């Protein structure tokens, strides 16, 4: 069965620090990969996605993620975080033979100290 | 902008009650989803629907049923609510066919079963 692992459940950083949130998945075939973000009191929304091509994907608000197939990873990065990045971040994976279903990680709560 | 609305933001029900959660989307999306979101568990798929009157079970369908009589509306039904169904319920919709299409989420309904 497919699974998604987000290693850190809580991350606390100061403003201007660099961010890397880990995401590993277990699935041997072709995958589509997503990062979603949920700001306090707001809807879940798409941050970025990968489905083919350049493994370095850029998303909204300065975020990027790199797909490393050999490591089954899709880590999220931002070089300099802001207080407004405080949110919960979810990694999700869709295996190409699993139809519409996304498999979700447990989420990482990111707190940025001003 | 895609808009997904859910009938209630907060709901309190008693054990054994029948509970209806309604979701409406305004972008003519074929696919609609119901998830529950619990701390440390991420999002878990309850049911999804890929067309009117069509539904498929997700990972945790037990204790739930769904109804999709119109394309824009997808209802989640708890036939006899239990305390372990206290959770945040999220509805989402997406375009048809390709699994990597973005899912658009509603604001969620926080259900408490006493």
């Amino acid at each position: 069965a497919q699974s998604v692992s987000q290693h850190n459940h809580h991350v606390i950083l100061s403003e201007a620090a660099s961010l890397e949130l880990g995401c590993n998945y277990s699935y041997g075939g072709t995958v589509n990969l997503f990062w979603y973000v949920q700001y306090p009191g707001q809807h879940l929304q798409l941050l970025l996605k990968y489905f083919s091509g350049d493994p370095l994907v850029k998303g909204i608000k300065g975020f990027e993620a790199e797909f490393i197939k050999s490591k089954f990873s899709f880590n999220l990065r931002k070089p300099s975080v802001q207080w407004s990045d405080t949110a919960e971040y979810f990694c999700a994976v869709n295996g190409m033979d699993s139809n519409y279903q996304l498999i979700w990680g447990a989420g990482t709560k990111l707190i940025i100290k001003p | 902008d895609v808009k997904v609305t859910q009938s209630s933001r907060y709901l309190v029900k008693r054990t054994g009650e029948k509970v209806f959660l309604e979701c409406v989307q305004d972008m003519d999306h074929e696919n609609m989803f119901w998830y529950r979101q619990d701390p440390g568990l991420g999002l878990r798929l309850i049911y999804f629907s890929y067309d009117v009157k069509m539904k498929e079970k997700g990972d945790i369908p037990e204790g739930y049923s769904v109804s999709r009589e119109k394309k824009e509306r997808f209802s989640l039904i708890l036939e006899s609510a239990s305390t372990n169904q206290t959770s945040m319920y999220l509805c989402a919709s997406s375009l048809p066919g390709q699994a990597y299409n973005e899912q658009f989420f509603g604001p969620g309904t926080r259900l408490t079963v006493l």
Side-chain angles (χ1 to χ4, degrees), chain A residues 47-48 57-65 76-80 82 85:
Chain A
L47 200 54
L48 47 79
V57 178
K58 296 196 184 296
I60 61 171
K61 304 191 180 187
F63 285 90
E64 65 178 31
L76 182 70
R77 300 194 294 244
K78 186 170 183 178
S80 176
Q82 301 170 310
D85 294 324

Short mmCIF file of all heavy atoms in Angstrom, two decimals, chain A residues 47-48 57-65 76-80 82 85:
data_model
loop_
_atom_site.label_atom_id
_atom_site.label_comp_id
_atom_site.label_asym_id
_atom_site.label_seq_id
_atom_site.Cartn_x
_atom_site.Cartn_y
_atom_site.Cartn_z
N LEU A 47 0.02 24.42 -2.95
CA LEU A 47 1.25 25.20 -2.92
C LEU A 47 2.05 24.98 -4.20
O LEU A 47 2.53 25.91 -4.84
CB LEU A 47 2.06 24.79 -1.70
CG LEU A 47 3.12 25.69 -1.14
CD1 LEU A 47 2.58 27.07 -0.83
CD2 LEU A 47 3.72 25.07 0.12
N LEU A 48 2.20 23.70 -4.56
CA LEU A 48 2.87 23.34 -5.79
C LEU A 48 2.61 21.86 -6.09
O LEU A 48 2.16 21.12 -5.23
CB LEU A 48 4.38 23.61 -5.71
CG LEU A 48 5.15 23.14 -4.49
CD1 LEU A 48 5.47 21.67 -4.55
CD2 LEU A 48 6.44 23.94 -4.31
N VAL A 57 10.45 22.09 -8.75
CA VAL A 57 9.17 22.73 -9.02
C VAL A 57 9.05 23.99 -8.17
O VAL A 57 9.34 23.97 -6.98
CB VAL A 57 8.01 21.77 -8.66
CG1 VAL A 57 6.68 22.44 -8.89
CG2 VAL A 57 8.12 20.50 -9.45
N LYS A 58 8.60 25.06 -8.79
CA LYS A 58 8.40 26.31 -8.04
C LYS A 58 6.91 26.53 -7.83
O LYS A 58 6.09 26.29 -8.73
CB LYS A 58 9.02 27.48 -8.79
CG LYS A 58 10.54 27.34 -8.90
CD LYS A 58 11.22 28.63 -9.28
CE LYS A 58 12.70 28.43 -9.48
NZ LYS A 58 13.37 28.02 -8.22
N GLY A 59 6.58 26.99 -6.61
CA GLY A 59 5.19 27.24 -6.29
C GLY A 59 4.96 28.68 -5.90
O GLY A 59 5.77 29.55 -6.17
N ILE A 60 3.84 28.88 -5.20
CA ILE A 60 3.50 30.24 -4.78
C ILE A 60 4.32 30.65 -3.58
O ILE A 60 4.88 29.81 -2.87
CB ILE A 60 1.99 30.33 -4.46
CG1 ILE A 60 1.61 29.38 -3.31
CG2 ILE A 60 1.15 30.07 -5.69
CD1 ILE A 60 0.19 29.57 -2.79
N LYS A 61 4.42 31.95 -3.38
CA LYS A 61 5.03 32.56 -2.19
C LYS A 61 6.48 32.14 -1.98
O LYS A 61 6.95 32.07 -0.83
CB LYS A 61 4.18 32.24 -0.94
CG LYS A 61 2.74 32.67 -1.10
CD LYS A 61 1.94 32.61 0.17
CE LYS A 61 0.50 33.07 -0.09
NZ LYS A 61 -0.31 33.19 1.11
N GLY A 62 7.19 31.87 -3.04
CA GLY A 62 8.62 31.61 -2.94
C GLY A 62 9.01 30.19 -2.56
O GLY A 62 10.17 29.89 -2.32
N PHE A 63 8.01 29.30 -2.48
CA PHE A 63 8.30 27.91 -2.14
C PHE A 63 8.75 27.13 -3.38
O PHE A 63 8.35 27.43 -4.50
CB PHE A 63 7.06 27.23 -1.55
CG PHE A 63 6.77 27.65 -0.14
CD1 PHE A 63 5.95 28.73 0.12
CD2 PHE A 63 7.32 26.95 0.92
CE1 PHE A 63 5.68 29.13 1.43
CE2 PHE A 63 7.05 27.33 2.23
CZ PHE A 63 6.24 28.42 2.48
N GLU A 64 9.55 26.11 -3.15
CA GLU A 64 9.94 25.19 -4.20
C GLU A 64 10.07 23.80 -3.60
O GLU A 64 10.18 23.64 -2.38
CB GLU A 64 11.25 25.61 -4.87
CG GLU A 64 12.46 25.58 -3.96
CD GLU A 64 13.74 25.97 -4.68
OE1 GLU A 64 13.68 26.78 -5.63
OE2 GLU A 64 14.80 25.46 -4.29
N ALA A 65 10.04 22.80 -4.47
CA ALA A 65 10.21 21.43 -4.00
C ALA A 65 11.00 20.67 -5.06
O ALA A 65 10.90 20.95 -6.26
CB ALA A 65 8.87 20.76 -3.75
N LEU A 76 10.08 20.08 0.55
CA LEU A 76 9.66 21.46 0.34
C LEU A 76 10.71 22.41 0.92
O LEU A 76 11.19 22.17 2.03
CB LEU A 76 8.31 21.71 1.04
CG LEU A 76 7.69 23.11 0.89
CD1 LEU A 76 7.22 23.32 -0.55
CD2 LEU A 76 6.52 23.26 1.86
N ARG A 77 11.02 23.47 0.18
CA ARG A 77 12.06 24.39 0.65
C ARG A 77 11.62 25.84 0.45
O ARG A 77 10.81 26.16 -0.44
CB ARG A 77 13.37 24.17 -0.12
CG ARG A 77 13.95 22.77 0.02
CD ARG A 77 15.37 22.72 -0.46
NE ARG A 77 15.46 22.95 -1.90
CZ ARG A 77 15.89 22.03 -2.75
NH1 ARG A 77 16.22 20.83 -2.34
NH2 ARG A 77 16.01 22.32 -4.03
N LYS A 78 12.18 26.69 1.31
CA LYS A 78 12.06 28.13 1.12
C LYS A 78 13.31 28.75 1.73
O LYS A 78 13.65 28.44 2.89
CB LYS A 78 10.80 28.68 1.78
CG LYS A 78 10.57 30.16 1.48
CD LYS A 78 9.20 30.64 1.92
CE LYS A 78 9.02 32.11 1.53
NZ LYS A 78 7.68 32.63 1.90
N PRO A 79 14.02 29.60 1.00
CA PRO A 79 15.31 30.10 1.49
C PRO A 79 15.19 31.04 2.69
O PRO A 79 16.09 31.08 3.53
CB PRO A 79 15.90 30.84 0.28
CG PRO A 79 14.78 31.03 -0.67
CD PRO A 79 13.74 30.01 -0.38
N SER A 80 14.06 31.77 2.80
CA SER A 80 13.94 32.74 3.88
C SER A 80 12.46 32.86 4.26
O SER A 80 11.67 33.42 3.51
CB SER A 80 14.50 34.09 3.43
OG SER A 80 14.31 35.08 4.44
N GLN A 82 8.94 33.82 6.32
CA GLN A 82 8.33 35.01 6.92
C GLN A 82 7.29 34.57 7.93
O GLN A 82 6.79 33.42 7.89
CB GLN A 82 7.63 35.83 5.83
CG GLN A 82 8.55 36.30 4.73
CD GLN A 82 7.78 36.90 3.56
OE1 GLN A 82 6.83 36.31 3.05
NE2 GLN A 82 8.19 38.09 3.16
N ASP A 85 4.25 32.71 6.86
CA ASP A 85 4.34 31.31 6.43
C ASP A 85 3.87 30.35 7.52
O ASP A 85 3.83 29.13 7.29
CB ASP A 85 5.78 30.96 6.03
CG ASP A 85 6.23 31.72 4.79
OD1 ASP A 85 5.39 31.93 3.89
OD2 ASP A 85 7.41 32.10 4.73
#
